[in-house]
Amino acid sequence: GLTAKVGEVVDAVGLQLIAISENGNAPDGTALCDQWMSLVVKFLCHDSVDVSSTVFSCLSRFTMSLGKHVSGKKSGGAAEPLAFDPLKYLPTILSCLYRQMQYPQGYPFGGPNEAENISVFELGDVAGAEEEEDDEEVYRSELRKLYSKIVRWQPDLVVQFIGATLATLPTPLSSGGFEVSEAALRLVFHFQEGLSGKMAKIIGSGGVFDQIVTALFESDAGFHANFELVTLFLDCAVRYGKILVAMPDEGKKGLLIGRVYECIGRGIANGGRRIRSRCCYLLLRFVKAMGGAGGEDIICKALSMVLEVVVANSNASYSLLNLEDQNYLFESAGLLLRSSPSSSYTPLSTFMVPQLSKLREILSSSQLHAQHKAVLASMLVANVAHLSKGFNMGDVTAETGPLFLEALQATMECLRALPTFEVVRSKSMMLVHRMVLILGESILPCLNGLLEPLVTNCQGSDLVLVVQLMNQLMIKFGHKAAPAIEAVLLPFLMHCSGIIPVDGPAPQVEVERVAVVKLQVLFLQHVASNGCVPALFSARNAPGLDGVMGLMLGGLHLKEAARSTVVFFEKICLSGVADGHDGFWQFAFEQVLVTLWRLMLDKSAFSVKDALCAKVAGEAAVFMWLLRGANRERYERFVDGLAGFMGRDVSFLKGSEVGGEAQLKKDVRQALRDL
């Protein structure tokens, strides 16, 4: 409308006025800026979002001038030669921002599904998923950016304003008006966002701002009837948790931490889905922020609160919490259990055993559809995986160790019963990753039963996750993982080949083929690099060894996989396992070495100046040195043949005992550069 158009004119005039004033050329600059600022304030405080936002550009430019002015003073020299004093306008601007931050009365925070329960097929929805921001939220986001810019340059002034604003609120805060209280807490919450570098030390320094935050914690703002205000109070508790942790009075600290946990419990018990989800997330954040502070009694009460919610959700006919909410709760419980000095078999089993029992009950049910089973089972496996995040190998005791092994066994049963469902495979792999870190080598006897359903049922969507899991096992356990890898090596490689599509546009098929081959090469490189070479040459896998070697030879033609391929053959040479296998050495000399040099001599695809190609050349030299040591006569014949192919003397590539492998690396790269 017309008012918005006028606001745009005021904004444009302000931009020009500030530019002129920065040069000190504006006649009677103070009077002009006073007049302009009075107009800006009127438009900024307008009830219409569209009108108010018209002056954001000039206000943003104003904060830049403020920064120059303040920086000039801090540098010890004269401030920027402005034709006006920007500091005199800050209290008025802050008051306007505070006023405009207040939500309209009756603002609809929740969507139409706010109070609905969650069906089983919604369990995987992301908790607190970002809703599309409406104009009101976009507008408030811009207000907060302006506020943060002012904080950056005048934090002390803003702290004074926050203190004065909170002092005007009616007490107790729990019965005050939502709109003004919420906006006041916004000032506190977003204060940190404007701080950077040394200024961030204001928080936790014991200064005025810390006193304000402490007073907020001591208030009853977290018990307001409007849960939007409660969640904002909890956001503040998470963001400024270190102020709580640093309190010297242990009794007071425990009391305030306990009150925050109580507020979180109220939020989770609230009927709105979004509030429940938000509070589950904030619980985890707060537990991490506290790091076990508060004392044994407080931790036990927090655990009881979490357990109460978990039991209520388990007993409800419809889930009150989606999957991510439950994961937050169980991870919080695990961290609290670890923080509690008296945590033992009983509290951990209280959380874990019901989940495992329900998992087995679902798997044995004849009333549930397979897809329904998969969703519910994966949820329970994920809960246990997140519960275990509070524990590491050093935390396992004679009482907790069997519980984690039981969780692993139940997960194996789940994988065998529902191997074709990706959601089951992904959550199971999450738990196995955790158990590797917690149980260590105790997991080894279970690996065969866990890996077989994964490697024979994975698809393109989770193939990379299966490879990552097997690589982690080999890195963690080295040669001790070889028996498990031996059992699945050929089935996995054959299954990968079956995943590659045969129909569809040729370019797309090629892209997918290359992606699968890269994963196969990466997997086999880890087999060779982590002491599992015997798995390749075992009686079980010997019939497929030629196919494996052919697959890796093809990896040389993929630029991103070439180095891993050469490393694979290097490690086999170094392992000693191939000694006596004449077929391998013949393949290494006649196929691998020849193909490698053909690729390196292809100027259109290989340049030693390229970082990746240079690494391949370096690994090629290492491989050549190993072949030289294995059969020097055969190696020198190869170099003579290479000289004929290249049409130049490359006898220096035969190597010498003096320079060794390092000199051969230099010689290979130099030979390629000379081309």
Side-chain angles (χ1 to χ4, degrees), residues 126-176:
V126 176
E130 296 267 341
E131 300 157 359
E132 186 176 348
E133 287 190 320
D134 58 17
D135 291 342
E136 285 278 355
E137 289 302 326
V138 172
Y139 170 72
R140 277 168 178 74
S141 176
E142 293 301 317
L143 289 174
R144 293 160 192 161
K145 288 178 183 177
L146 286 172
Y147 172 70
S148 295
K149 290 176 181 177
I150 296 174
V151 171
R152 179 183 180 186
W153 299 114
Q154 283 294 302
D156 293 338
L157 177 64
V158 175
V159 168
Q160 293 176 21
F161 179 78
I162 292 172
T165 301
L166 289 172
T168 64
L169 298 179
T171 54
L173 293 181
S174 61
S175 59

Side-chain angles (χ1 to χ4, degrees), residues 3 11 53 73 92 162 169 233 244 248 258 267 285 287 291 407 430 451 456 467 473 509 534 629 631 642 671:
T3 308
D11 187 69
S53 59
K73 286 187 173 182
T92 302
I162 292 172
L169 298 179
F233 170 79
L244 266 178
R285 292 282 309 280
V287 170
M430 179 196 304
L451 293 180
T456 56
V467 172
L473 293 171
V509 171
N631 191 325
L642 182 63

Side-chain angles (χ1 to χ4, degrees), residues 66 84 94 97 237 239 459 515 532 536 561 567 639 649:
L66 172 66
F84 65 95
L94 286 170
L97 292 177
R239 174 162 286 185
Q459 299 300 316
C532 296
L536 287 168
V567 170
V639 174
D649 179 24

Side-chain angles (χ1 to χ4, degrees), residues 392-444:
N392 292 313
M393 185 179 295
D395 303 314
V396 176
T397 65
E399 293 79 19
T400 58
L403 277 174
F404 289 120
L405 284 172
E406 184 65 20
L408 201 60
Q409 182 64 37
T411 302
M412 191 188 311
E413 295 169 16
C414 183
L415 271 174
R416 288 173 175 171
L418 301 163
T420 59
F421 292 93
E422 182 185 347
V423 66
V424 171
R425 296 195 301 271
S426 65
K427 301 306 179 186
S428 298
M429 284 188 279
M430 179 196 304
L431 185 135
V432 174
H433 278 295
R434 288 296 312 151
M435 294 303 108
V436 168
L437 299 176
I438 293 173
L439 295 173
E441 293 182 5
S442 298
I443 197 178
L444 290 173

Side-chain angles (χ1 to χ4, degrees), residues 76-375:
E80 288 289 323
L82 301 177
F84 65 95
D85 180 8
L87 297 177
K88 66 181 282 190
Y89 303 113
L90 288 186
T92 302
I93 294 174
L94 286 170
S95 296
C96 292
L97 292 177
Y98 169 58
R99 179 186 182 277
Q100 296 305 108
M101 282 182 184
Q102 298 171 23
Y103 283 97
Q105 196 165 11
Y107 181 78
F109 288 96
N113 299 323
E114 177 72 7
E116 292 180 7
N117 290 315
I118 302 171
S119 74
V120 64
F121 296 108
E122 291 181 290
L123 285 169
D125 289 351
V126 176
E130 296 267 341
E131 300 157 359
E132 186 176 348
E133 287 190 320
D134 58 17
D135 291 342
E136 285 278 355
E137 289 302 326
V138 172
Y139 170 72
R140 277 168 178 74
S141 176
E142 293 301 317
L143 289 174
R144 293 160 192 161
K145 288 178 183 177
L146 286 172
Y147 172 70
S148 295
K149 290 176 181 177
I150 296 174
V151 171
R152 179 183 180 186
W153 299 114
Q154 283 294 302
D156 293 338
L157 177 64
V158 175
V159 168
Q160 293 176 21
F161 179 78
I162 292 172
T165 301
L166 289 172
T168 64
L169 298 179
T171 54
L173 293 181
S174 61
S175 59
F178 164 73
E179 292 77 19
V180 293
S181 298
E182 197 273 348
L185 262 66
R186 285 279 168 201
L187 298 176
V188 177
F189 178 71
H190 294 287
F191 180 77
Q192 183 179 356
E193 295 169 8
L195 302 176
S196 60
K198 295 180 180 179
M199 298 306 297
K201 295 180 180 180
I202 290 176
I203 300 171
S205 64
V208 177
F209 184 76
D210 286 9
Q211 295 171 22
I212 290 174
V213 172
T214 301
L216 178 61
F217 288 147
E218 292 173 343
S219 75
D220 60 353
F223 296 89
H224 198 278
N226 190 310
F227 278 92
E228 298 297 334
L229 186 63
V230 174
T231 55
L232 181 54
F233 170 79
L234 296 175
D235 277 319
C236 291
V238 169
R239 174 162 286 185
Y240 303 117
K242 65 180 181 180
I243 296 176
L244 266 178
V245 174
M247 283 185 177
D249 187 337
E250 292 295 329
K252 182 178 180 181
K253 179 198 300 185
L255 176 65
L256 296 182
I257 292 175
R259 291 176 69 177
V260 174
Y261 279 127
E262 187 179 350
C263 293
I264 293 174
R266 287 183 64 244
I268 296 175
N270 180 57
R273 289 173 58 171
R274 186 172 51 82
I275 295 296
R276 291 199 303 264
S277 293
R278 184 66 185 164
C279 288
C280 289
Y281 170 71
L282 290 172
L283 170 63
L284 177 58
R285 292 282 309 280
F286 187 70
V287 170
K288 289 181 176 180
M290 292 301 98
E296 180 72 11
D297 289 343
I298 298 302
I299 292 174
C300 289
K301 288 178 181 178
L303 279 168
S304 298
M305 179 268 289
V306 175
L307 182 60
E308 185 178 337
V309 175
V310 168
V311 172
N313 185 67
S314 179
N315 293 337
S317 55
Y318 286 92
S319 181
L320 302 172
L321 304 167
N322 65 29
L323 175 59
E324 196 164 15
D325 299 338
Q326 295 182 52
N327 293 165
Y328 291 145
L329 287 176
F330 278 92
E331 186 172 348
S332 299
L335 293 170
L336 288 168
L337 285 168
R338 186 185 181 191
S339 301
S340 174
S342 65
S343 61
S344 60
Y345 176 82
T346 303
L348 178 60
S349 64
T350 302
F351 284 93
M352 187 181 289
V353 171
Q355 299 296 304
L356 300 181
S357 299
K358 194 167 184 179
L359 173 60
R360 289 191 166 105
E361 179 184 332
I362 289 169
L363 295 177
S364 62
S365 173
S366 59
Q367 306 299 317
L368 296 174
H369 186 274
Q371 185 179 1
H372 194 165
K373 278 187 178 182
V375 173

